[in-house]
């Protein structure tokens, strides 16, 4: 009765009991649930969930490449860098790259001589169980980049749609599929198509089997078929089940997606209102910022810097 009262009174203000349930008991929360329904089901693969987040960042970067003004380019590049940093911290929790991930349940006997809890923790670049705590941070950083990439009116539409669903669906709506097929939507959709091929190329168990050359021969149609995406329906219920997409995601997949982010950053315009000295400084800042847009799993800082 108490739960029923909560659902009928307080919870509707927050979007309903189903939203709250998905938020606390579904990988990636409610946005993760919506993304799984509208892209591909990554609910059984945290690395694949993270790759999808990187894909959304790449969409924002490619849209911003053509829409961000020169005087805002440095700030937009920093937003891309902040989002990339969050992706790399999450990847450290998943033990990707050279990151050392610790498990809550120690798989081996206590070493001799024994170490303190603090000493043991210092050896950990991340904890696998902490990944879910990273999701909201990634979404926040990617959302900021997407807002900055969009013109004011579309940024407003993006925020309005974001309150009702996930980042990707909100982006599609804000980009304007019907009115801008040669502009922002087309650029963003191109990144998404490339991302689909990246996912399919990495799911060797489901997609490639014994055909080692499939990636070189693949088209978007092949990738869609592999992921169980209907060629004639945008959202359908016949997608490949999550259990088919559990292969570990190669760092090369992240490298491919992050290269889109990095090349878009490099292509951002520079302000034409700067004097030669200021222009040189802006180029230096842009060069350094864009160079950091790589997949490089890193431990999140857990102590106050000196």
């Amino acid at each position: 009765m108490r739960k029923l009262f909560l659902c009928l009174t307080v919870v509707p203000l927050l979007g309903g009991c189903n939203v709250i349930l998905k938020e606390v008991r579904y990988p990636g929360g409610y946005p993760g649930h919506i993304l799984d329904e509208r892209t591909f089901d990554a609910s059984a693969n945290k690395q694949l969930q993270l790759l999808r987040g990187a894909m959304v960042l790449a969409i924002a970067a490619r849209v911003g490449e053509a829409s961000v003004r020169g005087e805002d380019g440095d700030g937009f590049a920093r937003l891309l860098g902040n989002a990339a940093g969050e992706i790399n911290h999450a990847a450290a929790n998943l033990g990707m790259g050279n990151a050392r991930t610790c498990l809550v349940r120690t798989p081996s006997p206590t070493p001799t001589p024994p170490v303190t809890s603090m000493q043991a923790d210092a050896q950990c670049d991340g904890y696998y169980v902490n990944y879910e705590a990273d999701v909201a941070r990634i979404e926040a950083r990617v959302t900021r980049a997407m807002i900055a990439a969009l013109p004011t009116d579309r940024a407003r539409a993006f925020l309005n749609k974001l309150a009702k669903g996930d980042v990707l669906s909100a982006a599609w709506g804000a980009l304007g599929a019907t009115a801008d097929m040669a502009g922002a939507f087309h650029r963003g959709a191109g990144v998404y198509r490339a991302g689909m091929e990246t996912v399919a190329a990495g799911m060797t168990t489901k997609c490639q089997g014994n055909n080692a050359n499939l990636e070189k021969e693949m088209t978007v149609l092949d990738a869609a078929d592999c992921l169980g995406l209907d060629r004639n329906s945008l959202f359908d219920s016949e997608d490949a089940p999550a259990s088919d997409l559990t292969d570990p995601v190669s760092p090369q997949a992240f490298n491919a997606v992050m290269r889109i982010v990095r090349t878009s950053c490099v292509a951002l315009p520079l302000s034409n209102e700067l004097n030669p000295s200021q222009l040189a400084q802006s180029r230096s800042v842009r060069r350094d910022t864009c160079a950091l847009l790589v997949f490089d799993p890193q431990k999140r800082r857990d102590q106050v810097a000196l």
Side-chain angles (χ1 to χ4, degrees):
M1 180 63 70
R2 189 174 180 180
K3 291 181 179 179
L4 177 61
F5 175 77
L6 183 64
C7 285
L8 293 177
T9 56
V10 179
V11 175
L13 299 176
L14 303 176
C17 278
N18 187 54
V19 173
I20 301 301
L21 178 64
K22 290 295 189 291
E23 188 63 33
V24 298
R25 293 185 187 167
Y26 195 90
Y30 183 71
H33 164 67
I34 298 296
L35 275 170
D36 285 342
E37 284 192 336
R38 300 190 176 182
T39 58
F40 44 83
D41 193 344
S43 60
N45 191 336
K46 291 182 178 181
Q47 293 182 357
L48 189 56
Q49 296 165 28
L50 185 60
L51 180 64
R52 187 169 56 190
M55 287 167 54
V56 180
L57 177 61
I59 290 171
R62 185 53 54 87
V63 172
E65 175 187 330
S67 62
V68 171
R69 298 177 301 179
E71 56 267 34
D72 299 324
D74 289 345
F76 183 67
R78 285 192 292 271
L79 290 176
L80 296 178
N82 291 338
E86 291 296 336
I87 289 171
N88 281 321
H89 291 320
N93 272 328
L94 297 182
M96 302 193 71
N98 295 320
R100 299 164 298 177
T101 295
C102 289
L103 301 177
V104 172
R105 169 170 286 194
T106 304
S108 58
T110 303
T112 304
V115 298
T116 66
S117 177
M118 183 175 294
Q119 288 173 325
D121 181 64
Q123 304 303 312
C124 305
D125 292 324
Y127 287 86
Y128 190 80
V129 295
N130 283 354
Y131 169 77
E132 286 288 344
D134 293 326
V135 173
R137 279 181 158 176
I138 295 171
E139 290 172 347
R141 298 294 190 182
V142 172
T143 296
R144 290 178 187 176
M146 187 69 75
I147 291 171
L150 296 169
T152 302
D153 58 333
R154 294 196 177 181
R156 188 178 299 111
F158 171 73
L159 288 174
N160 290 337
K161 292 177 182 294
L162 188 61
K164 303 175 183 178
D166 62 276
V167 176
L168 189 58
S169 294
W172 288 155
L175 293 178
T178 57
D180 193 20
M181 291 305 291
F185 180 83
H186 192 52
R187 291 191 296 274
V191 174
Y192 182 67
R193 294 195 304 273
M196 282 177 53
E197 290 193 29
T198 301
V199 172
M203 295 295 112
T204 55
T205 300
K206 165 69 177 173
C207 300
Q208 296 208 71
N210 296 322
N211 186 354
N213 294 318
L214 181 61
E215 181 179 346
K216 297 179 182 179
E217 303 166 359
M218 184 185 299
T219 69
V220 175
L221 294 176
D222 297 318
D225 290 344
C226 159
L227 299 175
L229 303 177
D230 194 326
R231 296 187 182 189
N232 301 309
S233 176
L234 189 56
F235 305 128
D236 69 280
S237 59
E238 303 299 325
D239 297 355
S243 58
D244 282 354
L245 304 177
T246 57
D247 288 358
V249 178
S250 166
Q252 271 303 86
F254 282 90
N255 288 341
V257 173
M258 292 305 297
R259 176 167 288 197
I260 296 175
V261 180
R262 191 166 60 254
T263 54
S264 295
C265 179
V266 170
L268 288 170
L270 294 163
S271 175
N272 56 10
E273 298 179 357
L274 302 176
N275 62 42
S277 176
Q278 293 171 324
L279 182 60
Q281 182 179 6
S282 180
R283 285 184 180 276
S284 177
V285 170
R286 187 76 57 82
R287 186 182 305 112
D288 293 343
T289 305
C290 295
L292 294 176
L293 297 174
V294 296
F295 183 63
D296 184 21
Q298 295 287 331
K299 177 180 180 179
R300 188 185 298 279
R301 183 182 295 277
D302 60 359
Q303 296 183 25
V304 177
L306 295 177

